[in-house]
Amino acid sequence: MRLGLLLVTTLLLLPTLAGCVSEEEELEKFPDFNATADDGQVYNLEKMSNTPFIVMFSAEWCNSPCYSTMHSMWSAEANLPVLVMSTDPAENAGGVTLEQWHESADAHDDEDENAGVNLSTYAFMKGDVIAQELGIKSPGTIMFVNSDGEITDTHVGLLEEKEAILDYWATAKQ
């Protein structure tokens, strides 16, 4: 009798349970933005539409940990489309231009007379308004965005593991 009751209850709950398991989680959209980067180009969601991209929230003063992450992403897969957005308001840039910031990031892996990697596909721009809108309080937050403009993954802190970077990127490319 108990077995029969358990079987009937399970059969009645199956449609409900199936709906819970098969429903896709709705992803948060990356907010629209409009920012001029160090390369002089204006970036926004329209420009980035139909292609996955990465947004790294950093700051002009965030040297080693932020630069290490940038170079780790480049080492994992070169030429990724990365938008490096400063969490600092324009008036708090410390006199550093976007171009100087990009050059400093490029030079992070230079040794002696040997120039290292040039982060040529990374665009450096202001992003403090977007950071506030997304609730980002500190540099070192990386968001992976799919071709529909949805945030597929967010990582906070130093990101140096090649496998993790490639996994996040693979999810954004799906």
Side-chain angles (χ1 to χ4, degrees):
M1 180 77 168
R2 283 186 165 172
L3 185 58
L5 185 59
L6 180 61
L7 182 59
V8 169
T9 304
T10 303
L11 290 174
L12 290 173
L13 288 176
L14 268 178
T16 305
L17 292 174
C20 290
V21 173
S22 65
E23 283 183 28
E24 288 187 32
E25 183 181 326
E26 194 167 317
L27 298 174
E28 178 182 4
K29 284 285 222 183
F30 193 84
D32 200 6
F33 63 97
N34 193 33
T36 303
D38 65 307
D39 60 7
Q41 293 187 47
V42 175
Y43 289 82
N44 52 40
L45 277 185
E46 184 178 340
K47 179 179 180 72
M48 302 307 293
S49 68
N50 300 319
T51 184
F53 60 98
I54 300 168
V55 178
M56 178 174 181
F57 289 95
S58 185
E60 289 90 336
W61 52 264
C62 184
N63 298 332
S64 188
C66 292
Y67 294 168
S68 293
T69 294
M70 290 177 203
H71 283 268
S72 293
M73 288 191 298
W74 186 275
S75 293
E77 186 171 327
N79 300 310
L80 290 173
V82 177
L83 306 181
V84 183
M85 293 188 169
S86 175
T87 56
D88 288 332
E91 62 273 4
N92 291 340
V96 176
T97 67
L98 295 174
E99 293 83 5
Q100 290 168 328
W101 184 29
H102 195 155
E103 289 169 7
S104 181
D106 283 346
H108 177 70
D109 66 342
D110 294 355
E111 293 183 20
D112 300 321
E113 298 295 318
N114 298 321
V117 170
N118 180 353
L119 304 171
S120 58
T121 59
Y122 291 25
F124 288 69
M125 64 196 69
K126 287 296 185 179
D128 57 301
V129 173
I130 296 299
Q132 288 175 5
E133 190 173 330
L134 290 167
I136 294 168
K137 302 200 185 319
S138 64
T141 300
I142 303 128
M143 293 186 162
F144 294 80
V145 183
N146 67 20
S147 59
D148 293 327
E150 300 166 323
I151 302 166
T152 58
D153 286 293
T154 300
H155 179 89
V156 179
L158 191 62
L159 180 58
E160 293 186 307
E161 301 81 25
K162 180 179 180 176
E163 187 175 309
I165 294 165
L166 293 175
D167 286 347
Y168 287 140
W169 182 238
T171 301
K173 290 190 327 184
Q174 291 179 351

